[in-house]
């Protein structure tokens, strides 16, 4: 569970209140969870895009991009 939480701490701005000791083994295992974290971020943005009112496509794209930049800290 520590590698997953470490991956979320590194790749997002979501507050994870757990303090994790970043040993080389934990950091190495955290790399395996990067695609999962990316999938969670992408699924969240996709859900927001589905819930946006049907306006201009450009406005929806701009809002999704803004959410993506906020969630990842422009990483």
């Amino acid at each position: 569970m520590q590698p997953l939480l470490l991956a979320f701490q590194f790749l997002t701005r979501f507050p994870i209140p757990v303090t994790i000791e970043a040993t080389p083994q934990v950091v190495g295992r955290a790399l395996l969870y990067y695609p999962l974290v990316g999938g969670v971020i992408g699924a969240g943005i996709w859900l927001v895009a589905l819930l946006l009112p049907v306006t201009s496509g450009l406005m929806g794209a701009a809002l999704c991009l803004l959410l993506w930049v906020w969630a990842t800290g422009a990483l």
Side-chain angles (χ1 to χ4, degrees), residues 24-42:
Q25 291 82 16
V26 173
V27 172
R29 284 190 220 121
L31 290 173
L32 299 174
Y33 290 103
Y34 283 9
L36 177 66
V37 173
V40 169
I41 294 169

Side-chain angles (χ1 to χ4, degrees), residues 45 48-50 52-67:
I45 294 170
V48 168
L50 287 178
L52 286 175
V54 179
T55 58
S56 133
L58 187 59
M59 178 63 92
L63 289 174
C64 287
L65 179 64
L66 183 67
L67 177 64

